Amino acid sequence: MIKILRLILIGAIIIATTPVFAQTISGTVTDAGKPLPGASIRATPSNIGGSTDSLGRYSLSLKPGTYKIIFSEVGFEPQTLSVMLAAGESKTLNVALTASASALNEVVVVGSRGGGRSRLLSPVPVDVISVNSVNDNTAKPDLMSQLNQNVPSFNYNKQSGADGADAIDYASLRGLGFDQTLVLINGVRRHESAYVDPGEAARGRGESGTDLNAIPEAAIDHVEILRDGASAQYGSDAIAGVINIVLRKNVNLFTLNAGFSGYDDQKYNTLSYPDPKAYYTGKKFDGQTFTLGGDYGFSIGQNGGFFNIGGNFEASGKTLRMAPDLPISPARRAFGDGSVESGGAMYNMEIPIKGTNTTFYSFGGYNYKYSEVYAYTRTWPDTPDKFPTDQSGNLVFVPGIMRIDASDGAPYDPNNVYYNPEEDVYITDFSAAIGFKGKFDSGWSWNISNNTGRNDFHYYGQNTFNASTIYTAGQAPQTRFNDGGFNYLQNTTNADITKHFNHVAQGMQLSFGTEFRYERYQIYAGEPNSYNNGGAQYTVTGSQGQDSLANKAPGAEGYPGYQPSDAHIADRGSEAAYAESAIDLTKSWIIDVAGRFENYDDFGSVATGKFATLYKVTDNFNLRGSISSGFRAPSLQQENFSNTNTTVGSGGTLIFEKTVPNYSDIARSANIPKLTAEHSTNYSLGFTWQPFSNVTATVDAYQIDVRNRIVYSGIYGEGDPAFGDETVKGTLNYALLHGDVAEAAFFTNAVNTTNRGVDIVIDYRKRWENAHFNATLSGNLQDVIINKINIPAKFNQNPDDSATFFSDREQYFLKYAAPKAKFNLNLDYGFGKWDFGTRFTYFGLVKELGFGEASPPDGVADPYFPYVGLDNGNGVVPEVFVFNPKVTTDIYVSYKIRKNISWDLGIDNLFNVHPDEAVVKGATSATTGDSSLGDSNSGGAFESVQMGFNGMRIFTKLKWTF
């Protein structure tokens, strides 16, 4: 297929280098005097078209002749102008569009396989987000963060201290998992990331997902977000909904965007800590980010063909944060966002075949990301087994990596030495789709496509050590390790047909389709020094003063390499067929019915169905609702992931934990069930209302019941009866006893949940002769209920095992995957060359639990709930971290310098608002031995909640159009 793609691209280049037409029509499309970006322009009968850039400019190259030029944009009345072009002639057409009575009725693709409906007439809720509108007025350089602040039910948390999760950007809808939202590109299924996170410090633990930030933003026209279960239409993963990325089709326009931003957080920057030597420090103005994006398209042939390509580059620096009012946190001396360097491009192409009703199309791209993040801190007095030593057991101090927490001029003391391992992650992502679409004379439209995507995730340890290596005098320790990694490949072939029958009721659409998908997952080992045990030992003094030898920690600190026993290749195939019918029974009543059957090689078959309806109560008020069944197949990543990882236990203690793969003999000996599909039932009820031509409101309540959700189990230690006889090879207890692993966990279908909530969107637009005012209020209220925890019999032998299986701490992570509420209020006013705006974002309540170091008081209902001792010694309290509701304020201004140059300037989080500190008040003393400090999910002063912890961010952007 790669050879075919190369031939296609070569052909496109040859066509592109042929002489272009000398006749052009160009101009500007405006709205009340303001440039209107993204407006569509199409010339008939040639069907050549394009869209306006961010300054409202367009240009079409045409043959001599007479044309009708159609100007249109969502929410505006279209205009059609006639023009005649002579040979060699160029003309200028400037057009002013006016708001239509059906403003905001965007036509959306997702929600029905047979064709689009306006947003307000869709039986299911869909958001349409223009990338231009969300990118211009924020410091956030990435698509995930921009959607997070504009779509309330969109869930995204930038993570810190969570190994590979720091480098990947997953998102979901309506408080569900990252892997329960399906992502499409131009309506075609997108491949997932190879990454699945088993780490205790990660949100979405045990879930995989799709990295939206691997899709270059400059190549995206808009994003459609279907907030409703859609498995019956699109298959696995669409339990929460569907995100469809629609690529640009611009021609004859080149757009270049450049931006710079950084954080000005003078309160919580580690440079402001009373003792800066206690922490890693950077710059006062940190997290400095440079972005560059460009997009260009050109026409192909004479029948409306095009080739568009867009690309982005981003380089962002680290941030380092700590609360000056808290004691020194020994677990996280380098807490903050890692650095990122990424770049990539995507193309989008269509070529109508002359003399037929068939169009060839292709899209795809490549993206590269390099991320460098800090792991947890190693300190010599607490963890001497994680430092390199000489043959006498003395610390081998490595300047430039190890640090000394001591006052200037103080003598060297090993007890003040610490270091932070770094984890370097290299991610490469490739995708390519080709297809043909057309229409038979009978009226049936058809579409055949094949899409291949591959994601590779490669770890390296940097500025770290394998402490178990025995070093001779003068030997320099190894400080960089190839830790191995994993990759995931997906190939999807689709065939779809659809037809609209005008004379059945008030119109009926029928759609049928099939899908064949092949998946392959691979784990590959790192270099031997990244995981092996070099045999070094150190002296341990017992409670009676006696000395004994203990083994040093094997493998690279921070992230031990994947071992040959972890290396594995797995694949599977699946087949699916669906049917859907959308009927306008009357002029007021719409019904949509769909059904789907899928079969997987590894776990079997599943059938799903959906019923959705909309009733027009009045001309401007519609009731809508849906009920559907859904499913998510267990990912190959979950079925086959295996590694030995460093995790953080009670009090920041670092331990080695084994992920037991589901296929292994160890899993069988412990009676760990094979993974099967998650199943869901979705209910939705709401209304759309347009009381005035410039005001719309949508309100949608939902309930999503999920059965057998796949989660990552609790951690079990050597000796647990569930893991078999420790004298028998193949049992987990034998592996734990004879290996370097202290604990083990696994993936399992374990939890039944219910997600309930309400989505609200109210939009107001007002335009004058040379000015405009837009206001949007959008919000989400939601709650997650755990109905049942399905514990396998072998792990339900005693209360301790049962509590470990899916602990209170894990339950809180699941229930607070998203805030209890999130609201956005966006206000924008513009006149002439100026545009001003502000955005208020309300982030609701979030709670989390610590590891719990103190013994619970007698007589409590749940003795396994985590507790922590008070600093004053007066007992213990529940270790609950409460992150109260907060509001952030953003401001921005935009100025049109020249006809083709605009400048944006603004501040995100103007008042430097931070989430509450991740501690239990009154239990933060690091000297008590059971402090809540460093005991949170992130281990830092703040938790990785949606509002972020980096504070005020200043930005500026420039845009050029040629």
Side-chain angles (χ1 to χ4, degrees), residues 553-583:
E557 290 299 313
Y559 199 89
Y562 291 92
Q563 303 179 17
S565 60
D566 296 321
H568 185 67
I569 297 177
D571 61 1
R572 72 177 176 196
S574 64
E575 308 83 31
Y578 76 89
E580 181 182 15
S581 177
I583 309 174

Side-chain angles (χ1 to χ4, degrees), residues 726-875:
E726 63 185 21
T727 66
V728 178
K729 284 189 175 181
T731 67
L732 181 57
N733 272 329
Y734 182 91
L736 294 174
L737 179 68
H738 294 82
D740 298 313
V741 181
E743 298 174 338
F746 50 90
F747 292 96
T748 179
N749 293 89
V751 181
N752 295 353
T753 62
T754 294
N755 288 53
R756 294 193 183 111
V758 179
D759 292 331
I760 303 166
V761 180
I762 303 172
D763 198 289
Y764 170 80
R765 296 183 182 184
K766 177 68 175 178
R767 291 172 173 81
W768 301 273
E769 181 177 350
N770 194 34
H772 74 273
F773 176 72
N774 299 332
T776 301
L777 174 66
S778 55
N780 171 258
L781 302 168
Q782 65 95 31
D783 188 35
V784 181
I785 302 168
I786 296 177
N787 302 311
K788 184 181 179 183
I789 301 174
N790 309 302
I791 307 176
K794 202 162 186 180
F795 296 90
N796 201 14
Q797 300 296 312
N798 57 66
D800 185 68
D801 270 358
S802 301
T804 300
F805 185 79
F806 196 63
S807 68
D808 292 304
R809 186 170 181 270
E810 295 296 329
Q811 292 178 44
Y812 267 63
F813 288 154
L814 190 66
K815 290 191 292 186
Y816 288 94
K820 289 292 185 182
K822 188 169 73 170
F823 281 84
N824 301 317
L825 176 60
N826 296 336
L827 305 174
D828 182 272
Y829 174 74
F831 63 92
K833 297 182 177 182
W834 292 92
D835 193 76
F836 302 88
T838 185
R839 177 174 45 250
F840 304 96
T841 306
Y842 171 90
F843 297 93
L845 179 71
V846 173
K847 293 182 180 180
E848 291 182 1
L849 301 184
F851 289 92
E853 302 179 45
S855 299
D858 295 334
V860 297
D862 181 3
Y864 298 97
F865 199 88
Y867 284 81
V868 65
L870 292 168
D871 296 338
N872 58 20
N874 294 332

